[in-house]
Amino acid sequence: IHRKIAITVISERYARDAITDMMQSIGRKREERQVCQMAIKPILFNTEMVRAILDGRKTCTRRVITLPENMDGVPVGKSGDSNNPLGFMYPGGIKRPPYQPGDILYVRETWHKGLERYIYRADYSDTEKFYRGGKEIEMKWHPSIHMPKEAARIWLKVTDVRVEWLHEITEDGALREGAQGVRCNHARLGVYGCTDCMNTGWLEPPEIEFMYIWDSTIKKPDLDQHGWDANPWVWVIEFERCEKPTEMR
């Protein structure tokens, strides 16, 4: 009887160990799959948005889902679901997001390569003057789209991707986009509260500033289709700062 009990205990122990090993193996394979699926891609930001990222104010960006004119569609699937991936279905097929959770992005920004290092437009004021050999020179900045990967100094990790109408942006969403708005100091407080901001706390809500930021990034010929008033479908891409990948160092 004692021998049977001992054998049973040992068998249960081996079973537990086997299950533990199996779960750890599944976890490792899942992690390996995620690493394999992770991509390193470029993303463009203008100078003001680069400054917002450096300040820690910008952790989200919206990108237009480009569709043929006068064509609509619906979001399908879910971000991060390999069996039912996020997409946007329209009569011409299904569009997939440009980035996926876990992707590593290197920021392309306005830049210049000096004699010893790269320098970046976002680090200098709009009235900054530059000198060489004691003489003022005109700095020739290169557009962000031409910035090589080796010049990248800002690295981001995508944490979430979803689909929204542009007008669905909230106050918090606009703040995460880097808009700051104009807060009210409640200088005109009365019996019924502040008459300057109507008790909202804002003289200009961040959503209003985001409207102008958005339209400033859209080419004039595309404003009718992709501008704020058009309320296009957009990819909402959330991210966080991260270190440069080891393999890129």
Side-chain angles (χ1 to χ4, degrees):
I1 293 174
H2 292 297
R3 180 181 294 178
K4 288 183 179 179
I5 293 174
I7 292 173
T8 301
V9 170
I10 292 172
S11 298
E12 289 178 352
R13 186 180 302 161
Y14 277 125
R16 285 197 302 269
D17 291 344
I19 292 173
T20 300
D21 290 342
M22 182 178 68
M23 295 304 294
Q24 290 176 345
S25 177
I26 292 173
R28 283 194 298 270
K29 289 181 179 178
R30 184 177 299 162
E31 290 175 359
E32 289 170 0
R33 231 176 9 250
Q34 290 174 346
V35 170
C36 291
Q37 292 172 351
M38 180 197 76
I40 297 177
K41 300 179 179 179
I43 185 169
L44 274 66
F45 286 106
N46 64 29
T47 297
E48 286 306 312
M49 293 300 96
V50 170
R51 288 170 179 158
I53 292 173
L54 292 172
D55 290 344
R57 295 185 289 107
K58 185 173 179 67
T59 58
C60 186
T61 184
R62 283 162 171 75
R63 303 293 162 118
V64 169
I65 299 176
T66 54
L67 298 171
E69 194 170 357
N70 299 321
M71 191 172 287
D72 200 1
V74 293
V76 293
K78 183 180 179 182
S79 178
D81 188 340
S82 58
N83 296 318
N84 186 25
L86 179 67
F88 189 84
M89 183 179 292
Y90 70 110
I94 297 180
K95 286 183 174 287
R96 298 298 180 188
Y99 309 109
Q100 299 288 344
D103 282 354
I104 302 298
L105 313 180
Y106 62 94
V107 174
R108 280 180 166 168
E109 55 182 305
T110 304
W111 60 287
H112 174 83
K113 187 173 184 179
L115 297 176
E116 298 180 353
R117 62 186 178 91
Y118 289 99
I119 61 175
Y120 307 92
R121 186 69 186 85
D123 292 340
Y124 301 93
S125 70
D126 295 337
T127 58
E128 191 84 30
K129 294 184 179 180
F130 298 88
Y131 298 86
R132 182 178 296 160
K135 294 183 179 180
E136 185 176 347
I137 61 170
E138 181 180 354
M139 182 62 69
K140 294 182 179 180
W141 295 106
H142 301 292
S144 56
I145 192 148
H146 295 147
M147 194 192 84
K149 185 188 293 186
E150 68 177 37
R153 59 168 176 163
I154 302 173
W155 294 80
L156 311 172
K157 182 178 181 180
V158 178
T159 57
D160 188 49
V161 183
R162 62 183 183 275
V163 176
E164 290 181 359
W165 292 104
L166 182 60
H167 287 187
E168 289 186 82
I169 193 168
T170 62
E171 177 183 299
D172 179 66
L175 289 170
R176 296 187 68 180
E177 279 274 3
Q180 299 181 83
V182 180
R183 294 186 182 273
C184 182
N185 61 8
H186 301 305
R188 297 185 183 182
L189 282 174
V191 178
Y192 300 104
C194 180
T195 57
D196 282 341
C197 68
M198 303 303 292
N199 300 323
T200 65
W202 297 98
L203 293 176
E204 181 180 274
E207 299 98 305
I208 301 298
E209 182 183 345
F210 175 75
M211 289 169 50
Y212 294 109
I213 291 174
W214 178 265
D215 279 350
S216 72
T217 65
I218 304 298
K219 295 178 181 178
K220 287 186 178 180
D222 297 331
L223 281 173
D224 288 344
Q225 188 174 1
H226 298 149
W228 173 263
D229 291 339
N231 190 26
W233 287 103
V234 293
W235 303 112
V236 183
I237 302 155
E238 297 184 357
F239 55 81
E240 61 186 12
R241 293 284 299 273
C242 69
E243 296 294 326
K244 184 176 182 179
T246 305
E247 63 269 27
M248 299 298 300
R249 295 177 187 173

